[in-house]
């Protein structure tokens, strides 16, 4: 379905004994003692790594990690990630503490087919985020062909995600990138209906483009999170101390006027005086939010309604939690949506979770493997849903081209 070549399109001659330079997204949470506390993204890259290794490639991996701002910074070393990767695969994993030095290039040539080398953090180099062509050409020395499997970084035009493909060809998609694009792209291009979007999170400002891009495509757009409060404000309701973006109220009003009944807002709210005053949380109808309290979650009636609409859908795209899910009892709305996603999935619907925090919420609930797809890229999935081009994808060889 994606219009780019993938590692499956490469011939054996192009792969066997050749160095595959694979851009992965190993930007994972690492604790101060070097423990990787969530290895989801490492595991998500394994199918590509294994397929390349099985086909006899020498697998060279590189990734960004954190924000070291162009200089080597020990706390942002990928060393701990290499150790975790070594535990997740039975193959030999080497690590070099540099990315483009002669030592790094030599290490790529020293690899035997089926072995894996992880290079040091690409963001230790100042040219990375500037998409410096000189650095891109240096990256190109590290492999015989290029694979991008870093969906989480595909919305950035950096030397390791875009520039490198100018010199290093073939340049193809890995299996994770392919899977992400097929799910997200499939939902947008040919959704089975009803097609329901669930949008939440803290700020309407970060999601306006998604709302505008998706409204014409969906049958229903269910709004939760603090975002709902800006809409309430636009409707002239009392929002108390809820998080509202005053400079977006006018825009919310315009959206309300144009969206008709496609845009569904909460009927009730779970409110409290403060986020940490969950014990005193209580539900109110939406026009009765007390002036000295704030909405921290959708209310129970709304949770039930949203869950029903999700269960009745054939395609669901979910981006952004319904409340402050990090702080019970304000996780209830988010959990209701998560469970409804699972039920919809077992009924044959296609269900996609596409935001950093919403993905974290569904993983935290242990339900990540019971929906069709949990995106590994919050920002990238958002930009994709906004209809924007992803530079990391555009840089790859087009299908049908030679
Ligand atoms: P995602 O990463 O899934 O796209 P966002 O980053 O937009 O989601 O928003 C997630 C954050 O929104 C969470 O930290 C959550 O606590 C916060 N949030 C959700 N609802 C509310 C609310 N009613 N008031 C304040 N913060 C909220
Ligand atoms: Mg977020």
């Amino acid at each position: 379905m994606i219009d780019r070549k993938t590692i499956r399109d490469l011939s054996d001659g192009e792969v066997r004994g050749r160095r595959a330079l694979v851009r992965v997204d190993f930007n994972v949470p690492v604790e101060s003692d070097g423990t990787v506390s969530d290895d989801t993204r490492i595991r998500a890259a394994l199918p590509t790594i294994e397929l390349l290794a099985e086909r006899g490639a020498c697998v060279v991996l590189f990734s960004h990690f954190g924000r070291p701002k162009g200089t080597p910074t020990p706390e942002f070393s990928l060393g701990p990630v290499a150790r975790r990767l070594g535990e997740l695969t039975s193959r030999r994993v080497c690590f070099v503490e540099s990315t483009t030095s002669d030592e790094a290039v030599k290490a790529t040539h020293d690899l035997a087919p089926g072995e894996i080398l992880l290079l040091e953090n690409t963001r230790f180099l100042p040219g990375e985020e500037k998409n410096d062509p000189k650095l891109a050409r240096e990256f190109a020395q590290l492999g015989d062909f290029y694979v991008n499997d870093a969906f989480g970084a595909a919305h950035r035009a950096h030397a390791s995600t875009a520039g490198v493909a100018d010199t290093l060809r073939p340049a193809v998609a890995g299996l994770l990138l392919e899977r992400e694009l097929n799910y997200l792209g499939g939902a947008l291009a040919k959704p089975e209906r009803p097609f329901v979007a669930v949008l939440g999170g803290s700020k309407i400002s970060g999601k306006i483009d998604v709302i505008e891009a998706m409204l014409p495509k969906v049958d229903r757009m269910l709004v939760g999170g603090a975002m709902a409060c800006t809409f309430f404000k636009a409707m002239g309701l009392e929002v108390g101390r809820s998080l509202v973006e005053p400079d977006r109220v006018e825009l919310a009003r315009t959206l309300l006027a144009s969206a008709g009944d496609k845009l569904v807002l909460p009927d009730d709210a779970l409110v409290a005086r403060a986020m940490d005053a969950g014990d005193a949380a209580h539900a109110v109808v939406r026009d009765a939010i007390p002036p000295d309290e704030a909405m921290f979650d959708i209310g129970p009636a709304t949770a039930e309604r949203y869950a029903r609409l999700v269960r009745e859908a054939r395609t669901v795209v979910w981006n952004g939690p319904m409340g402050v899910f990090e702080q019970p009892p304000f996780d209830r709305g988010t959990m209701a949506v998560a469970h409804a996603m699972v039920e919809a999935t077992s009924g044959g619907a296609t269900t996609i979770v596409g935001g950093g925090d919403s993905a974290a919420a569904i993983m935290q609930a242990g339900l990540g493997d019971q929906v069709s797809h949990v995106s590994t890229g919050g920002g990238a999935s958002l930009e994709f849903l906004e209809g924007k081009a992803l530079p990391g994808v555009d840089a790859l060889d087009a299908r049908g081209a030679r």
Side-chain angles (χ1 to χ4, degrees):
M1 154 124 46
I2 70 165
D3 59 353
R4 301 289 141 174
K5 284 191 179 165
T6 78
I7 53 173
R8 273 195 282 260
D9 297 312
L10 298 173
S11 68
D12 284 339
E14 284 172 307
V15 177
R16 189 166 305 281
R18 316 273 295 166
R19 295 168 305 151
L21 177 64
V22 188
R23 177 57 158 94
V24 287
D25 178 3
F26 282 173
N27 189 27
V28 295
V30 175
E31 284 161 31
S32 51
D33 66 351
T35 316
V36 175
S37 52
D38 180 354
D39 61 6
T40 308
R41 283 180 164 171
I42 306 176
R43 283 186 286 109
L46 287 177
T48 294
I49 296 171
E50 287 297 331
L51 181 61
L52 288 167
E54 247 164 56
R55 294 185 69 189
C58 311
V59 183
V60 180
L61 307 174
F62 68 151
S63 175
H64 75 289
F65 174 45
R67 298 184 179 278
K69 304 209 167 84
T71 45
T73 317
E75 66 177 297
F76 294 120
S77 170
L78 279 168
V81 174
R83 275 196 296 283
R84 184 74 194 117
L85 176 62
E87 291 161 6
L88 291 170
T89 171
S90 54
R91 298 180 186 277
R92 192 166 117 93
V93 177
C94 315
F95 175 69
V96 278
E97 282 180 12
S98 66
T99 321
T100 54
S101 63
D102 292 346
E103 184 202 356
V105 176
K106 180 172 180 306
T108 68
H109 286 290
D110 288 346
L111 283 179
E115 289 186 344
I116 301 164
L117 170 71
L118 177 62
L119 302 169
E120 188 52 287
N121 193 344
T122 55
R123 287 196 187 159
F124 283 0
L125 306 166
E128 162 70 334
E129 294 184 69
K130 296 183 190 122
N131 196 9
D132 173 19
K134 184 169 162 287
L135 177 61
R137 284 192 298 274
E138 284 172 27
F139 281 152
Q141 302 300 310
L142 298 160
D144 300 307
F145 63 97
Y146 174 69
V147 178
N148 190 351
D149 211 24
F151 178 71
H155 57 314
R156 310 260 186 244
H158 291 171
S160 68
T161 58
V164 60
D166 289 342
T167 356
L168 191 56
R169 300 266 162 172
V172 300
L175 302 178
L176 173 64
L177 188 68
E178 179 189 24
R179 183 182 152 85
E180 293 269 9
L181 295 172
N182 281 348
Y183 268 109
L184 293 167
L188 290 187
K190 264 208 226 149
E192 230 191 291
R193 291 183 185 277
F195 177 17
V196 169
V198 186
L199 290 187
S202 52
K203 289 188 173 161
I204 198 174
S205 50
K207 308 237 161 134
I208 294 206
D209 292 342
V210 188
I211 299 177
E212 286 182 337
M214 289 190 76
L215 259 180
K217 301 190 171 162
V218 300
D219 297 297
R220 284 290 168 91
M221 181 171 285
L222 317 180
V223 175
M227 232 163 74
C229 305
T230 301
F231 281 107
F232 286 170
K233 184 97 190 165
M235 292 155 74
L237 301 177
E238 169 67 58
V239 292
R241 283 150 55 168
S242 306
L243 185 61
V244 167
E245 289 174 277
D247 56 333
R248 304 295 156 138
V249 173
E250 202 44 55
L251 182 93
R253 199 169 289 138
T254 313
L255 283 171
L256 282 170
S258 64
D261 58 2
K262 265 193 187 184
L263 196 65
V264 183
L265 290 165
D267 302 306
D268 61 348
L270 193 61
V271 298
R273 277 177 188 274
M275 220 181 265
D276 56 6
D279 291 349
H282 59 111
V284 294
V285 290
R286 68 181 184 197
D287 52 7
I289 297 177
D292 57 347
E293 301 196 27
M295 173 177 185
F296 291 118
D297 194 12
I298 55 174
T302 306
E304 207 166 295
R305 181 180 182 208
Y306 284 9
R308 179 172 53 79
L309 289 167
V310 166
R311 282 196 304 267
E312 289 170 1
R314 296 297 299 169
T315 308
V316 188
V317 172
W318 178 22
N319 186 298
M322 296 292 96
V324 183
F325 73 99
E326 302 93 333
Q327 185 87 33
F330 305 116
D331 60 339
R332 285 183 197 156
T334 302
M335 287 307 127
V337 169
H339 284 281
M341 293 278 283
V342 170
E343 280 184 60
T345 316
S346 53
T350 301
T351 54
I352 301 163
V353 185
D357 291 285
S358 13
I362 202 156
M363 299 306 283
Q364 197 179 297
L367 302 173
D369 55 353
Q370 293 174 57
V371 295
S372 308
H373 182 63
V374 180
S375 178
T376 54
S381 64
L382 208 57
E383 294 205 11
F384 190 82
L385 294 175
E386 288 167 356
K388 292 192 183 137
L390 301 179
V393 177
D394 286 355
L396 302 176
D397 294 342
R399 188 160 289 246
R402 277 216 42 95

